[in-house]
């Protein structure tokens, strides 16, 4: 062995010893004798992996679902935003589904407040309804700082909205804006066409129309929205 190879071997050995020292190995002698000629034992089988606990699935009764909806198992729990509870009741004459709470909506104020709420109250009065007898809910129960639902939460929130509508079982359903229309009527759902929503045993007349916040910006669209409301209230219910 040449001098250079001998020096390299010493350097490698010193490096290995330094690594073992850093790792806490203080002896190179095993406590028991080893048979170096024995046949190696087969590798141990890995321990069975314990499956993750089942997801916190939403309850199947309205009151329990509404309590669960304000808990920690929903997308809004991580948004650092105030959640607005839904005052839900079974079989209302009308249910309204919007996208998000308005900026001033709160537990105390309720859903669709401010200028949007003033316009909504006028719309309801025009079709013989009052806010206190109507269920108002959103796809999301909190408003992110961006004012838009995160894309990665959209699918879950839409599924929860469908579950809520099914549990409420309204006599008629009014959808405000594109997000509720897509969530309840599917990607081919369109504004203005009267549909019968059939979902998990529920069948109720449903129509999608402009959101009141859009009508505040485009007052000329109120005439079309009025036609949509007329279609909805003329449809007989079961």
């Amino acid at each position: 062995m040449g001098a250079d190879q001998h020096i390299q071997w010493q350097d490698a050995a010193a490096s290995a010893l330094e690594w073992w020292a850093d790792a806490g190995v203080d002896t190179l002698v095993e406590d028991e004798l080893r048979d170096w000629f024995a046949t190696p034992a087969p590798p141990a089988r890995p321990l069975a992996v314990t499956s993750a606990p089942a997801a916190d699935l939403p309850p199947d009764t309205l009151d329990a679902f509404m309590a669960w909806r304000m808990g920690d198992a929903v997308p809004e729990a991580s948004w650092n935003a105030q959640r607005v509870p839904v005052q839900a009741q079974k079989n209302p004459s009308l249910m309204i589904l919007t996208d998000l709470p308005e900026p001033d909506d709160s537990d105390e104020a309720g859903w669709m407040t401010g200028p949007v709420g003033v316009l909504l109250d006028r719309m309801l009065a025009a079709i013989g309804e009052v806010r206190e007898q109507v269920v108002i809910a959103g796809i999301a129960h909190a408003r992110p700082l961006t004012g838009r639902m995160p894309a990665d939460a959209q699918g879950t929130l839409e599924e929860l909205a469908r579950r809520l509508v099914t549990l409420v079982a309204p006599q008629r359903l009014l959808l405000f804006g594109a997000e509720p229309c897509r969530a309840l009527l599917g990607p081919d759902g369109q504004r203005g066409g009267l549909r019968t929503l059939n979902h998990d045993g529920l069948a109720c007349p449903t129509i999608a129309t402009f959101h009141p916040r859009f009508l505040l910006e485009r007052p000329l669209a109120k005439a079309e929205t009025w036609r949509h409301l007329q279609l909805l209230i003329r449809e007989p219910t079961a």
Side-chain angles (χ1 to χ4, degrees):
M1 178 182 297
D4 291 341
Q5 289 179 323
H6 183 72
I7 294 174
Q8 291 175 359
W9 180 86
Q10 285 182 324
D11 291 341
S15 177
L17 290 172
E18 182 179 356
W19 163 255
W20 287 338
D22 291 341
V25 178
D26 56 4
T27 179
L28 298 179
V29 180
E30 294 182 341
D31 293 334
E32 298 180 1
L33 296 176
R34 177 186 297 186
D35 185 357
W36 294 96
F37 299 98
T39 302
R45 298 181 62 181
L47 297 176
V49 178
T50 304
S51 59
D56 188 0
L57 298 177
D60 55 5
T61 63
L62 181 58
D63 290 344
F65 178 85
M66 297 315 306
W68 177 90
R69 193 66 181 80
M70 299 298 289
D72 296 332
V74 296
E76 299 97 326
S78 62
W79 290 3
N80 193 28
Q82 181 182 16
R83 278 183 271 180
V84 182
V86 174
Q87 303 302 319
Q89 55 180 304
K90 291 285 290 185
N91 305 123
S93 59
L94 179 66
M95 179 175 182
I96 295 172
L97 191 66
T98 181
D99 51 358
L100 299 166
E102 299 302 309
D104 294 330
D105 290 357
S106 65
D107 190 355
E108 297 78 17
W111 284 82
M112 301 192 73
T113 60
V116 165
V118 173
L119 179 55
L120 172 62
D121 289 340
R122 293 173 181 169
M123 295 168 65
L124 292 176
I127 59 174
E129 296 283 356
V130 292
R131 180 186 288 261
E132 291 73 21
Q133 297 177 358
V134 173
V135 173
I136 305 175
I139 300 294
H141 287 194
R143 185 180 184 88
L145 294 178
T146 61
R148 298 181 63 87
M149 282 180 277
D152 59 355
Q154 190 92 27
T156 299
L157 291 171
E158 290 179 354
E159 183 178 351
L160 293 176
R162 290 190 291 269
R163 183 69 170 268
L164 174 59
V165 171
T166 301
L167 292 174
V168 170
Q171 297 178 36
R172 293 180 176 88
L173 179 63
L174 179 59
L175 308 175
F176 278 152
E179 287 82 1
C181 180
R182 180 179 58 248
L184 272 296
L185 301 181
D188 298 328
Q190 296 181 355
R191 182 180 65 251
L194 186 65
R195 301 273 295 274
T196 298
L197 177 66
N198 292 285
H199 184 69
D200 285 350
L202 172 67
C204 73
T206 302
I207 201 164
T209 191
F210 295 111
H211 197 288
R213 75 172 76 99
F214 177 84
L215 298 179
L216 291 173
E217 299 174 357
R218 308 283 182 87
L220 292 179
K222 291 180 180 179
E224 185 176 351
T225 297
W226 174 243
R227 289 193 294 270
H228 299 164
L229 294 176
Q230 290 293 300
L231 283 174
L232 183 62
I233 64 176
R234 287 173 183 170
E235 180 71 11
T237 58

